[in-house]
Amino acid sequence: NLKRRPSEPGLLLAAARISLRSGDLPAARDFYGRLLEARPGDADALNGLGIVADLSGEHGAAQRHYTAALRKTPDHAGARNNLGLSLALTGRLPESVAHLKAVRDEEGTNPTVRHNYALALAMTGDRKGAREILAADLSSAEIDEFVAAAGVLQAANIRK
Protein backbone atom coordinates (compact mmCIF):
# COMPACT_ATOMS: atom_id res chain seq x y z
CA ASN A 1 0.00 0.00 0.00
CA LEU A 2 2.85 2.42 0.75
CA LYS A 3 4.14 2.03 -2.82
CA ARG A 4 0.72 2.90 -4.24
CA ARG A 5 0.14 5.74 -1.75
CA PRO A 6 3.63 6.97 -0.79
CA SER A 7 2.36 10.03 1.07
CA GLU A 8 -0.55 8.44 2.99
CA PRO A 9 -0.03 9.74 6.56
CA GLY A 10 -1.36 6.65 8.33
CA LEU A 11 0.88 4.35 6.32
CA LEU A 12 3.90 6.60 6.78
CA LEU A 13 3.37 6.68 10.55
CA ALA A 14 3.02 2.89 10.70
CA ALA A 15 6.14 2.38 8.57
CA ALA A 16 8.08 4.85 10.71
CA ARG A 17 7.10 3.10 13.94
CA ILE A 18 7.92 -0.34 12.56
CA SER A 19 11.30 0.92 11.34
CA LEU A 20 12.00 2.49 14.73
CA ARG A 21 11.06 -0.68 16.63
CA SER A 22 13.27 -2.76 14.37
CA GLY A 23 16.21 -0.39 14.91
CA ASP A 24 16.35 0.92 11.35
CA LEU A 25 16.93 4.55 12.30
CA PRO A 26 17.62 5.85 8.76
CA ALA A 27 14.34 4.38 7.50
CA ALA A 28 12.45 5.69 10.54
CA ARG A 29 13.92 9.16 10.00
CA ASP A 30 12.91 9.01 6.34
CA PHE A 31 9.32 7.92 7.07
CA TYR A 32 8.86 10.47 9.86
CA GLY A 33 10.28 13.16 7.56
CA ARG A 34 7.87 12.16 4.80
CA LEU A 35 5.01 12.23 7.30
CA LEU A 36 6.04 15.75 8.29
CA GLU A 37 5.96 16.76 4.62
CA ALA A 38 2.48 15.26 4.25
CA ARG A 39 1.23 16.81 7.50
CA PRO A 40 3.37 19.86 8.39
CA GLY A 41 3.73 20.33 12.13
CA ASP A 42 2.45 16.82 12.92
CA ALA A 43 3.25 16.16 16.59
CA ASP A 44 3.66 12.40 16.10
CA ALA A 45 6.17 12.96 13.30
CA LEU A 46 8.09 15.53 15.36
CA ASN A 47 8.12 13.24 18.39
CA GLY A 48 9.32 10.34 16.22
CA LEU A 49 12.09 12.45 14.73
CA GLY A 50 13.07 13.37 18.29
CA ILE A 51 13.31 9.71 19.26
CA VAL A 52 15.44 8.95 16.21
CA ALA A 53 17.70 11.91 17.03
CA ASP A 54 18.06 10.84 20.68
CA LEU A 55 18.91 7.28 19.66
CA SER A 56 21.48 8.71 17.23
CA GLY A 57 23.10 10.75 20.02
CA GLU A 58 21.77 14.03 18.61
CA HIS A 59 20.14 15.18 21.84
CA GLY A 60 19.97 18.88 20.97
CA ALA A 61 18.08 18.11 17.76
CA ALA A 62 15.87 15.68 19.67
CA GLN A 63 14.94 18.32 22.22
CA ARG A 64 14.10 20.78 19.44
CA HIS A 65 11.80 18.18 17.84
CA TYR A 66 10.05 17.40 21.13
CA THR A 67 9.62 21.11 21.87
CA ALA A 68 8.15 21.68 18.40
CA ALA A 69 5.75 18.76 18.94
CA LEU A 70 4.68 20.28 22.25
CA ARG A 71 4.11 23.68 20.67
CA LYS A 72 1.74 21.98 18.24
CA THR A 73 0.13 19.61 20.78
CA PRO A 74 0.95 20.67 24.37
CA ASP A 75 -0.52 17.54 25.93
CA HIS A 76 1.36 15.07 23.68
CA ALA A 77 2.28 12.49 26.33
CA GLY A 78 5.08 10.90 24.31
CA ALA A 79 6.84 14.16 23.51
CA ARG A 80 6.52 15.34 27.12
CA ASN A 81 8.03 12.13 28.45
CA ASN A 82 10.73 11.93 25.78
CA LEU A 83 11.79 15.54 26.34
CA GLY A 84 12.26 14.85 30.05
CA LEU A 85 14.37 11.76 29.34
CA SER A 86 16.43 13.61 26.73
CA LEU A 87 17.13 16.40 29.22
CA ALA A 88 18.39 13.80 31.70
CA LEU A 89 20.63 12.23 29.08
CA THR A 90 22.27 15.60 28.44
CA GLY A 91 22.89 16.23 32.13
CA ARG A 92 20.18 18.87 32.51
CA LEU A 93 19.01 17.03 35.61
CA PRO A 94 17.12 19.67 37.62
CA GLU A 95 15.14 20.61 34.50
CA SER A 96 14.58 16.92 33.68
CA VAL A 97 13.39 16.06 37.20
CA ALA A 98 10.95 18.98 37.29
CA HIS A 99 9.65 18.17 33.83
CA LEU A 100 9.26 14.43 34.45
CA LYS A 101 7.68 14.98 37.86
CA ALA A 102 4.98 17.10 36.22
CA VAL A 103 4.46 14.43 33.54
CA ARG A 104 4.38 11.69 36.19
CA ASP A 105 1.84 13.63 38.25
CA GLU A 106 -0.44 13.77 35.20
CA GLU A 107 0.41 10.40 33.62
CA GLY A 108 1.10 8.42 36.81
CA THR A 109 -0.27 5.14 35.51
CA ASN A 110 2.29 4.95 32.72
CA PRO A 111 5.27 2.82 33.85
CA THR A 112 7.58 4.34 31.22
CA VAL A 113 6.95 7.79 32.66
CA ARG A 114 7.57 6.53 36.20
CA HIS A 115 10.79 4.81 35.14
CA ASN A 116 12.10 7.89 33.36
CA TYR A 117 11.30 10.02 36.39
CA ALA A 118 13.06 7.49 38.64
CA LEU A 119 16.07 7.51 36.31
CA ALA A 120 16.34 11.29 36.49
CA LEU A 121 16.04 11.17 40.30
CA ALA A 122 18.70 8.47 40.57
CA MET A 123 21.00 10.46 38.31
CA THR A 124 20.71 13.42 40.71
CA GLY A 125 21.71 11.12 43.56
CA ASP A 126 18.19 10.61 44.96
CA ARG A 127 18.39 6.84 44.86
CA LYS A 128 15.89 6.46 47.71
CA GLY A 129 13.26 8.43 45.79
CA ALA A 130 14.00 6.43 42.65
CA ARG A 131 13.66 3.14 44.52
CA GLU A 132 10.29 4.18 45.98
CA ILE A 133 8.93 4.93 42.51
CA LEU A 134 10.34 1.76 40.96
CA ALA A 135 8.92 -0.46 43.71
CA ALA A 136 5.52 -0.32 41.99
CA ASP A 137 6.88 -2.07 38.89
CA LEU A 138 10.15 -3.89 39.55
CA SER A 139 11.62 -6.54 41.84
CA SER A 140 14.31 -5.61 44.34
CA ALA A 141 17.03 -7.07 42.09
CA GLU A 142 15.70 -5.16 39.08
CA ILE A 143 15.64 -1.96 41.11
CA ASP A 144 19.28 -2.50 42.17
CA GLU A 145 20.25 -3.01 38.52
CA PHE A 146 18.27 0.07 37.42
CA VAL A 147 19.83 2.32 40.07
CA ALA A 148 23.31 1.04 39.24
CA ALA A 149 22.74 1.82 35.54
CA ALA A 150 21.58 5.31 36.50
CA GLY A 151 24.85 5.76 38.37
CA VAL A 152 26.78 4.84 35.23
CA LEU A 153 24.79 7.39 33.21
CA GLN A 154 25.36 10.01 35.91
CA ALA A 155 29.11 9.37 35.84
CA ALA A 156 29.14 9.59 32.03
CA ASN A 157 27.39 12.99 32.22
CA ILE A 158 29.87 14.26 34.82
CA ARG A 159 32.78 13.41 32.50
CA LYS A 160 31.24 15.33 29.57
Side-chain angles (χ1 to χ4, degrees), residues 65-118:
H65 287 303
Y66 300 138
T67 301
L70 292 170
R71 275 196 302 272
K72 182 73 172 175
T73 308
D75 62 345
H76 193 287
R80 293 176 71 219
N81 181 50
N82 293 333
L83 176 60
L85 177 60
S86 186
L87 292 168
L89 294 174
T90 56
R92 295 167 62 184
L93 296 173
E95 193 176 348
S96 172
V97 167
H99 185 82
L100 286 167
K101 181 183 183 313
V103 175
R104 191 274 322 250
D105 289 349
E106 294 173 24
E107 306 278 336
T109 60
N110 183 326
T112 302
V113 171
R114 286 195 303 271
H115 295 182
N116 288 344
Y117 178 49

Side-chain angles (χ1 to χ4, degrees), residues 136-155:
D137 304 308
L138 304 177
S139 70
S140 181
E142 290 170 320
I143 292 170
D144 290 344
E145 188 176 310
F146 187 102
V147 171
V152 171
L153 285 172
Q154 178 186 22

